[in-house]
Amino acid sequence: MTLGQNIQTARKAKGISQEALAEKIGVSRQALGKWEKDTALPGVDNLQALAKELGVSVDALLGCAAPDTAAPAVTLNALRDLLDARDAEACRRRRGAWLAAAAAAAVLLAVGGGMAARLDGLAGQYGYLSSEVSRTNSDLSARMQELQNAVRQGESTVLDWGWHPLASLQDDGKMPVEVYVKPRTEQQGAAVTLCVTNGSDTALYAMQRGQDGVYTAQELVFALGQDYALSVQWTNPDGTTVNENLDTVPFTKDCVEPEILMVQTSGMSDHYRVETVNGEQRLTLAVYPITLEVCAPGWMQIDAVEAQLWQDGADEPTALAVLQSENGTAPDSNVRVYTEWNGNFYNEDTAEGWPYLGGGAHYTLCVRDADGNEWTREVPLIRE
């Protein structure tokens, strides 16, 4: 597994979100997301901070922790020591082998040619020592290569990827989706295959290249409550293949529905009053400005956000506030995006409130996307 995959696995095992982990180690969620996608590499300090917060070793994150816990660990700080150890060990064994061979030759010269058989044995011993030197050198080089591969994150084949729906969520809880992959470098003539694993089933989808160089697969269907592990395979014209894991998509309602939160700008935001004005009972609000926070899937294009004031038993809203947002959304299906929306129920025509109908009151908060889908939430109001 890559460094990014190990970070993500450890984070999920710890039950902590990207936002929470990024805050703990003092980086942005976007930076942590790039580390988990293997499109960027954390520095040594950040790597150590990640290991501390996730309760694992740096070796475990790098994917080079030895299965025998008694074996010495290899860390980034030991790279130079490993190289020095490799060279020193090779020199020591070569020197010892040559000294042994020289001593054997001297003995043979002293006692005569009758020791030829022993010379053959010593030659075999020298061959064994040489093979041991080679094996030790190979083992050290292999462990060095593991570390180098673990930190060589810039060679990820995927620059960006994501998914978005092709239609609304169906009544059976299924949604047709499109997965897109943008390669880091263009491979002329390469065939691209998307691998989707759901439980014990794996489906393969041929990806088509668009004019913008982005590859897409459009025949997928996600079902609520299912997890989908995605990976991409690049097959070059010479037949060689490269595989890269993307991520696992837990397809829940958070993937397809926004959450609407009412922000209490003061302790009276959800209160109303009934007052008598010119002999008529009027409903007035304790606070007329209203602020909502919408947490929606990153791919969702929000078209309108409204707050409606309703009185019990009424056939239509008493008042309507159309809300605006100053911060836009980023098209990233792998995250949920928070946006703040502000509006006001006050206008000159309703300066003295609205005719009171004698019952209770509530807000209906409404979010509509660009496809006309609508989500609502009711918030009861408290009479003072």
Side-chain angles (χ1 to χ4, degrees):
M1 294 176 66
T2 66
L3 172 61
Q5 292 167 347
N6 289 333
I7 293 173
Q8 184 181 86
T9 299
R11 174 177 63 78
K12 290 183 177 180
K14 195 79 172 178
I16 186 172
S17 66
Q18 278 190 342
E19 290 82 0
L21 179 58
E23 182 177 355
K24 285 179 179 291
I25 63 176
V27 299
S28 66
R29 188 207 62 76
Q30 289 80 5
L32 180 60
K34 289 181 179 180
W35 297 344
E36 291 192 355
K37 293 179 183 178
D38 290 325
T39 58
L41 173 66
V44 174
D45 291 342
N46 286 331
L47 191 61
Q48 292 173 342
L50 280 168
K52 179 179 178 181
E53 292 296 338
L54 295 173
V56 298
S57 66
V58 172
D59 285 345
L61 292 181
L62 291 175
C64 60
D68 181 4
T69 56
V74 181
T75 66
L76 286 174
N77 294 330
L79 291 174
R80 184 174 297 173
D81 292 340
L82 278 175
L83 287 171
D84 293 342
R86 179 188 63 186
D87 296 340
E89 180 69 10
C91 290
R92 185 183 69 79
R93 290 186 180 274
R94 283 196 299 268
R95 184 169 59 250
W98 282 113
L99 287 175
V107 170
L108 287 173
L109 289 173
V111 300
M115 302 297 292
R118 291 190 182 182
L119 179 59
D120 290 338
L122 288 173
Q125 220 175 25
Y126 171 71
Y128 170 76
L129 289 174
S130 297
S131 67
E132 283 295 293
V133 170
S134 177
R135 184 183 65 80
T136 301
N137 184 66
S138 177
D139 288 347
L140 288 170
S141 296
R143 299 197 66 187
M144 288 294 300
Q145 189 62 45
E146 289 176 3
L147 283 177
Q148 292 167 353
N149 288 340
V151 298
R152 196 183 295 124
Q153 300 303 315
E155 294 182 1
S156 168
T157 64
V158 175
L159 179 63
D160 190 23
W161 78 276
W163 67 272
H164 57 262
L166 296 176
S168 302
L169 185 69
Q170 300 170 2
D171 293 338
D172 58 359
K174 295 182 178 180
M175 173 181 279
V177 301
E178 176 184 76
V179 173
Y180 65 87
V181 173
K182 184 176 183 179
R184 180 171 295 279
T185 56
E186 182 67 24
Q187 298 292 333
Q188 296 294 332
V192 186
T193 303
L194 179 70
C195 306
V196 182
T197 300
N198 172 227
S200 59
D201 298 328
T202 298
L204 303 180
Y205 300 88
M207 305 195 77
Q208 305 299 321
R209 183 186 183 279
Q211 293 183 350
D212 54 0
V214 176
Y215 291 82
T216 59
Q218 301 183 346
E219 300 177 357
L220 291 79
V221 175
F222 285 172
L224 284 178
Q226 300 294 313
D227 292 346
Y228 298 90
L230 308 182
S231 63
V232 64
Q233 181 181 83
W234 312 89
T235 303
N236 297 317
D238 61 2
T240 59
T241 62
V242 178
N243 295 277
E244 182 167 346
N245 291 326
L246 300 177
D247 201 353
T248 296
V249 177
F251 193 66
T252 65
K253 285 193 174 182
D254 285 344
C255 296
V256 296
E257 294 183 359
E259 181 182 10
I260 311 170
L261 306 172
M262 181 172 168
V263 179
Q264 293 289 339
T265 55
S266 75
M268 310 295 286
S269 294
D270 56 355
H271 285 58
Y272 72 97
R273 306 184 181 99
V274 176
E275 302 174 339
T276 301
V277 179
N278 299 325
E280 180 186 12
Q281 284 192 314
R282 308 283 291 186
L283 184 150
T284 59
L285 297 174
V287 176
Y288 280 77
I290 185 169
T291 299
L292 302 183
E293 189 175 65
V294 178
C295 178
W299 53 263
M300 183 176 291
Q301 297 181 13
I302 298 177
D303 187 57
V305 177
E306 297 176 351
Q308 302 169 356
L309 171 62
W310 284 82
Q311 296 188 58
D312 294 351
D315 295 329
E316 58 184 25
T318 299
L320 173 68
V322 178
L323 280 60
Q324 303 292 331
S325 176
E326 294 182 358
N327 51 333
T329 60
D332 185 350
S333 59
N334 302 314
V335 299
R336 286 174 67 81
V337 178
Y338 287 85
T339 53
E340 187 175 285
W341 298 76
N342 298 281
N344 202 321
F345 282 104
Y346 181 84
N347 60 62
E348 294 182 357
D349 296 333
T350 59
E352 296 180 349
W354 302 269
Y356 178 56
L357 302 182
H362 66 271
Y363 286 142
T364 295
L365 313 178
C366 176
V367 171
R368 282 191 296 272
D369 67 10
D371 295 324
N373 300 304
E374 183 174 290
W375 296 267
T376 61
R377 177 192 169 198
E378 287 193 3
V379 176
L381 295 180
I382 303 169
R383 179 173 175 175
E384 294 183 359

